[in-house]
Amino acid sequence: MIGKSKAARVGIFLVMLLMLGSIFVYLPKEDDKVEAVGAPAITIALAQAKQTAYVAPGQDGIVTFTGTVFAQIPWSPNIQYLVVQLQADAGGWPVSVPPALTFSKAQKQQSFTLSVQVPIETSQRTQGQLSVSGRWSYSPGAGGGTIPPATAIIFVKQYYQFSVGCDKPYVQVQPGSSLGFRLRLINEGNANDRLRVEVQNLKELADKGWTIQLSQDKFAVPEKQEKVLTVSVTTPVKWNVWKNDVTTIQIRIISAQAEGLGEVSDIADYSLYVRQKGVSIPGFEPAFAIIALAMISVLVFGFAK
């Protein structure tokens, strides 16, 4: 009986000893195992080194880039997935960032697409740079780090747009008068431009005896600025006891710079109006006519006496 009791006490002691020993055994947490594995090898590659944004009014200014993320996950029984969250910056221009990419151990690469919104009417002198980087993390696990960036350039396409203005596009004169119009040529494009001016109906007017001269037919106009063009006009004088009609001078402005580059140019058509009103007799001057009438009146009055 005593032997059995002693054996029981020994058994209890051994059980307690095993329980105490287990308290001092360190069991690593899952996160510790993951952190000990090391960082994955991740590379971001963009398919386009540069893109061009079209920012004329009516265009969207959106440029799209495609790319690939290459990832190599170190072997570990405790790692199931690698999560890559891409980040992108284009110097303040809005960028659409794709959702997170999840890699398994067997998956080595994934593609992505992102877009950059370049504001409409951005100056052609502005050049943007896209930078695509990211962060990675294991799942399960708390380890993580950054991914080196890939970069690309965004160019802004020049567009050609301009307008024409004149304070007095309608003038009334005597037949045979000389006059001038001052036209404002305004460059509304997003870069410096060279404008060419022509009179569309010049031959028709010349055949009728009109003289039309331009102060210049080509202008270099800086971005968002204007130049002044003078159109000098001399109206014809032909036998007509009384003249009262309106003649139109058709002006056209196009971009000589766009023409030289084979680009599409805006076209601005503008009309000037000249009303001839009065006596139209070659050599006839209204002032002389008044003097002549006065002299005739004096003579007639003298003979009457």
Side-chain angles (χ1 to χ4, degrees):
M1 187 72 178
I2 294 174
K4 291 182 179 181
S5 176
K6 185 177 180 180
R9 287 198 298 270
V10 172
I12 293 172
F13 174 76
L14 292 174
V15 171
M16 291 179 65
L17 185 62
L18 289 172
M19 291 178 64
L20 288 172
S22 66
I23 294 175
F24 297 101
V25 175
Y26 174 71
L27 297 176
K29 295 182 294 182
E30 186 176 349
D31 290 352
D32 295 333
K33 293 179 181 179
V34 171
E35 292 171 0
V37 172
I42 306 176
T43 303
I44 300 173
L46 290 172
Q48 300 83 19
K50 60 182 180 180
Q51 289 281 52
T52 300
Y54 294 82
V55 297
Q59 298 177 323
D60 56 22
I62 295 176
V63 290
T64 301
F65 290 85
T66 58
T68 304
V69 177
F70 300 91
Q72 183 69 46
I73 306 174
W75 186 91
S76 172
N78 302 299
I79 298 174
Q80 298 298 321
Y81 300 102
L82 170 69
V83 180
V84 173
Q85 181 64 63
L86 292 176
Q87 301 168 339
D89 178 75
W93 293 339
V95 184
S96 64
V97 180
L101 305 176
T102 301
F103 292 82
S104 64
K105 294 178 181 178
Q107 198 168 17
K108 305 298 182 183
Q109 65 183 59
Q110 289 195 55
S111 300
F112 65 89
T113 301
L114 56 81
S115 298
V116 181
Q117 173 73 66
V118 181
I120 301 304
E121 299 186 18
T122 295
S123 174
Q124 189 258 350
R125 294 174 294 176
T126 303
Q127 179 176 291
Q129 178 169 297
L130 173 67
S131 177
V132 183
S133 58
R135 295 191 61 83
W136 63 270
S137 62
Y138 287 132
S139 178
T146 60
I147 304 171
T151 60
I153 301 298
I154 301 174
F155 296 103
V156 176
K157 178 70 173 179
Q158 178 175 359
Y159 65 89
Y160 304 90
Q161 182 172 302
F162 34 86
S163 61
V164 187
C166 180
D167 292 336
K168 294 182 178 180
Y170 178 94
V171 176
Q172 179 176 305
V173 297
Q174 289 280 343
S177 299
S178 296
L179 63 146
F181 294 94
R182 287 173 59 85
L183 299 184
R184 298 189 313 277
L185 309 182
I186 306 168
N187 179 6
E188 297 179 343
N190 67 337
N192 299 339
D193 201 354
R194 294 192 310 276
L195 304 183
R196 180 167 61 82
V197 184
E198 59 186 37
V199 180
Q200 290 285 92
N201 58 339
L202 180 60
K203 185 179 186 306
E204 175 188 344
L205 293 174
D207 291 343
K208 293 180 179 180
W210 288 71
T211 301
I212 313 291
Q213 291 183 326
L214 305 177
S215 58
Q216 288 180 255
D217 61 356
K218 290 185 180 180
F219 289 80
V221 187
E223 176 184 354
K224 305 303 182 186
Q225 295 187 33
E226 67 177 56
K227 288 291 182 72
V228 175
L229 162 70
T230 300
V231 182
S232 299
V233 180
T234 300
T235 63
V237 178
K238 295 185 178 181
W239 283 98
N240 198 325
V241 176
W242 182 255
K243 190 172 186 63
N244 184 12
D245 59 20
V246 177
T247 299
T248 302
I249 303 171
Q250 300 170 351
I251 304 294
R252 169 165 288 187
I253 297 93
I254 59 179
S255 172
Q257 181 169 312
E259 283 185 323
L261 297 173
E263 304 276 350
V264 177
S265 169
D266 188 21
I267 297 176
D269 289 329
Y270 196 82
S271 295
L272 302 171
Y273 303 93
V274 179
R275 176 181 288 276
Q276 297 181 88
K277 188 174 183 180
V279 176
S280 179
I281 300 175
F284 176 81
E285 293 290 343
F288 293 147
I290 294 173
I291 295 173
L293 287 173
M295 293 177 66
I296 292 172
S297 298
V298 170
L299 291 174
V300 170
F301 183 75
F303 282 123
K305 286 183 175 181

